Amino acid sequence: MIDFAAVGKPRPILSLLSALALCGATLVGCATDAKWRNTREEVINPIHRLLHHAYPESFQSGDPARIADTFSPDALPDQLAPSLELLATFSKVEYGSGFIDRVDLEAQPVRGWIRLKLEGIGLEGERRVVRQQKEFELVHEGGAWRIARDVPTPFVVVPQPAAHFFDETLTRALWFRHEGKDKIDPKGVPHRYVYGSGIAAADLDGDGWDDLVLASGGRVDVFRNEQGVFHQVSEDWGVGDELPVGERILSVVIAADFDNDGFQDLFVGAEFGQPLLLRGDGRRFTVVSDSGLHTAERTVSASVADFDGDGFLDLYLANHEDEYRRAPDPPWSHNAEPDQLFLNEGDGTFRDATRRAGLGNRGWALTPVAADYDGDGDEDLFVGNDFGTSMLYRNDGHGDFDEVAADAGVDAPVAAMGADWGDYDGDGDLDLFVGGMSSNAGWVLEAPDFQIRRVPGFVDWMFRSRVREYVRAWFRGNRFYENQGDGTFVERAHEMGVDAHGWSWATVWLDFDNDGYLDVYALNGFITGPLKDDL
């Protein structure tokens, strides 16, 4: 649970207020717990079930009476009409979901906003996906919460893709299964590790076919591509059981030619353990004994680019913080250990140039992506930070950077999980998509008596409005920044319909249907409640 006591400024005042209130916090704790439990059981959970489950799922029955059951018996027929008209555009609804944007429990009557998505078969037998933003007025009657009024808005038919993907993992002999390693907390208790490790695609042996390198907790595997069929050759290539991983928890894999010898090398990052640099010769990898890549931080991602323009690839390491050591400090959350920039010495080894380059991002970094966003011929860097604001570093061409996120307009608070640059509109400059967190349960934090643990009641009361603004922005989801060609960006995610699509993780631009326009793919999914389908 996030400690929101650090949201307000100045922090010394907050610390004093918190200290003065500690003696009273224990006395009111039991009453606060009881009040919140009642609110959760009588208001929060029933409204969540109504908007996220009961209403959208009623369309799947195809029965107008099921939809009517989610409305108040006193609702006028014209209030039910928009839902029935939407149902009539389907011959069968196979799946319905409602993503809750917000619920205003302080309004009279209570108001809720959702994004309805229906998938199924149209009247002509065609595949059909429809999205519609819904605004409801909610009432509590007869011991249940129901919809009293539906404010109709136009629905949008989502265009169906011209290309489709099929899972050929096993037919291509890719039998790899990720196996994480337990993470040990400060008390020595092991915990199931839920983060991923890494994957890289590159032509390792120069035969014109891209091979795969995958990491799994404490192991690296190589799958050689032989005309579309893969063969596991890990030990032959010096990895797998041959690679001395030790106690490292592997976190990232990057294939690149770091020594300019024409063969792909490997960077393998680890959490709180020294990274590995493996030199490739087209047949095997060899560990570089003293690569100069020294870190003791939680490296979870990395970016490769020639940042200083000397013709050799450099490495930027994103160092997320350890949740057992420190908690994020909203709304900025720049209290992690700094990221690191390692410049290539030209012989495949590196030196730490973080401070000299003017870097040292201390956000809870997850996604660094390099690109020449301003078109001046050098590699700039966007660093997406979890829990707070992200960073945009503009390169001067010699590996020295200025942080310009605010001036460029890309500093909105976001739980940045993934990011990618791409010229989606073909105007010659790079646009930026940032995968964020649009939690279906985020609205709960705005409930008037939501219990913020370890925060005294009157401190919560004083700063709740500021916290709400931050939470609303933080849970808003993805950000889509359109490059204006002058070094600034305009955020257009909601306008383009790509803002709220669940809990996004990795993102990438690609033209998957070969129509000449970039599409965007965002991996998502996270369980936000006790129901396994509550995503």
Side-chain angles (χ1 to χ4, degrees):
M1 184 65 65
I2 298 173
D3 183 353
F4 285 105
V7 171
K9 278 193 171 183
R11 293 181 187 174
I13 294 178
L14 265 180
S15 300
L16 176 60
L17 292 174
S18 299
L20 291 174
L22 283 178
C23 59
T26 302
L27 297 177
V28 301
C30 295
T32 303
D33 286 346
K35 182 179 180 182
W36 171 243
R37 280 197 301 270
N38 291 336
T39 300
R40 186 177 60 199
E41 294 171 2
E42 298 175 7
V43 179
I44 299 294
N45 291 346
I47 289 179
H48 189 84
R49 285 193 293 268
L50 171 66
L51 298 183
H52 183 52
H53 293 283
Y55 174 74
E57 291 173 2
S58 67
F59 285 85
Q60 295 173 219
S61 68
D63 184 359
R66 283 281 304 278
I67 297 176
D69 285 344
T70 64
F71 282 76
S72 166
D74 297 330
L76 299 176
D78 63 345
Q79 291 303 316
L80 190 58
S83 296
L84 299 184
E85 291 170 0
L86 182 57
L87 177 65
T89 65
F90 286 86
S91 63
K92 180 181 181 181
V93 176
E94 298 174 332
Y95 177 74
S97 66
F99 186 92
I100 303 175
D101 277 327
R102 186 184 170 204
V103 177
D104 187 353
L105 296 175
E106 296 175 292
Q108 292 296 329
V110 171
R111 300 170 67 194
W113 293 262
I114 71 168
R115 302 182 189 211
L116 178 68
K117 179 182 179 182
L118 302 179
E119 302 177 32
I121 308 298
L123 301 180
E124 303 296 328
E126 77 282 6
R127 298 294 308 174
R128 180 178 175 83
V129 178
V130 169
R131 295 182 185 274
Q132 186 178 35
Q133 291 185 321
K134 288 280 191 179
E135 178 183 342
F136 295 128
E137 290 182 357
L138 307 176
V139 293
H140 187 262
E141 55 187 19
W145 284 91
R146 287 188 171 89
I147 300 168
R149 182 169 180 265
D150 178 6
V151 180
T153 59
F155 60 82
V156 176
V157 179
V158 180
Q160 293 301 293
H164 298 274
F165 291 89
F166 301 92
D167 185 356
E168 297 186 355
T169 308
L170 296 181
T171 59
R172 301 283 181 173
L174 278 171
W175 46 264
F176 178 86
R177 179 182 177 87
H178 181 271
E179 298 290 347
K181 295 178 68 173
D182 286 344
K183 185 172 182 179
I184 309 301
D185 69 16
K187 297 181 179 179
V189 178
H191 295 270
R192 184 171 65 91
Y193 187 71
V194 297
Y195 291 89
S197 291
I199 182 171
D203 184 5
L204 303 179
D205 52 9
D207 65 353
W209 294 82
D210 280 342
D211 311 295
L212 290 175
V213 184
L214 301 103
S216 177
R219 179 184 171 91
V220 177
D221 280 297
V222 171
F223 286 82
R224 184 172 179 267
N225 188 343
E226 297 184 11
Q227 300 185 6
V229 178
F230 291 87
H231 297 273
Q232 200 260 37
V233 294
S234 304
E235 283 69 31
D236 292 341
W237 277 74
V239 293
D241 291 337
E242 298 293 317
L243 184 65
V245 172
E247 298 301 317
R248 294 178 178 89
I249 297 179
L250 303 182
S251 55
V252 57
V253 175
I254 293 178
D257 183 7
F258 291 111
D259 53 7
N260 288 1
D261 66 351
F263 299 107
Q264 295 290 314
D265 310 303
L266 289 181
F267 167 80
V268 182
E271 294 202 14
F272 304 109
Q274 287 302 317
L276 296 170
L277 183 64
L278 310 180
R279 182 165 292 143
D281 61 7
R283 299 180 304 277
R284 186 176 176 84
F285 292 109
T286 304
V287 177
V288 178
S289 59
D290 188 9
S291 66
L293 296 170
H294 300 300
T295 182
E297 300 309 323
R298 186 187 190 188
T299 301
V300 297
S301 187
S303 182
V304 172
D306 181 9
F307 290 112
D308 57 1
D310 66 353
F312 291 90
L313 294 175
D314 310 304
L315 272 165
Y316 182 92
L317 307 188
N319 295 326
H320 201 264
E321 188 52 86
D322 182 3
E323 62 270 21
Y324 292 117
R325 180 171 70 181
R326 187 174 297 156
D329 186 15
W332 302 276
S333 295
H334 290 167
N335 64 329
E337 292 302 311
D339 297 344
Q340 293 167 284
L341 172 67
F342 289 94
L343 295 181
N344 197 324
E345 295 282 72
D347 58 0
T349 63
F350 296 81
R351 61 182 172 86
D352 190 336
T354 309
R355 295 186 65 182
R356 186 199 66 78
L359 294 170
N361 166 56
R362 297 197 62 178
W364 290 54
L366 285 177
T367 175
V369 282
D372 182 13
Y373 82 90
D374 54 4
D376 64 355
D378 52 45
E379 296 289 333
D380 310 299
L381 184 68
F382 173 83
V383 183
N385 291 323
D386 201 359
F387 303 114
T389 54
S390 298
M391 314 293 278
L392 179 63
Y393 292 103
R394 185 173 58 201
N395 195 337
D396 70 352
H398 304 287
D400 295 319
F401 295 85
D402 292 316
E403 205 290 304
V404 296
D407 293 337
V410 297
D411 63 334
V414 59
M417 305 291 183
D420 197 21
W421 296 97
D423 183 10
Y424 93 99
D425 52 5
D427 64 354
D429 50 41
L430 293 174
D431 310 294
L432 178 64
F433 184 86
V434 181
M437 180 176 63
S438 53
S439 170
N440 188 64
W443 70 274
V444 176
L445 279 69
E446 295 193 46
D449 57 346
F450 174 76
Q451 181 186 352
I452 303 176
R453 296 188 183 278
R454 295 181 293 145
V455 177
F458 78 86
V459 174
D460 174 24
W461 173 79
M462 290 175 62
F463 295 98
R464 180 168 287 266
S465 62
R466 193 176 300 180
V467 170
R468 281 185 177 181
E469 294 176 6
Y470 172 75
V471 167
R472 196 171 295 132
W474 190 39
F475 281 95
R476 184 180 142 191
N478 306 323
R479 299 293 195 277
F480 171 48
Y481 295 108
E482 184 179 83
N483 197 329
Q484 301 300 291
D486 59 0
T488 65
F489 296 80
V490 172
E491 206 288 300
R492 299 184 60 194
H494 182 72
E495 174 187 347
M496 302 295 286
V498 295
D499 52 343
H501 287 87
W503 199 306
S504 294
W505 296 95
T507 64
V508 63
W509 288 103
L510 76 164
D511 180 11
F512 84 95
D513 52 4
N514 293 326
D515 65 352
Y517 298 99
L518 285 180
D519 310 294
V520 63
Y521 175 80
L523 179 69
N524 64 8
F526 200 87
I527 296 175
T528 62
L531 299 176
K532 297 303 181 184
D533 61 344
D534 196 15
L535 298 173

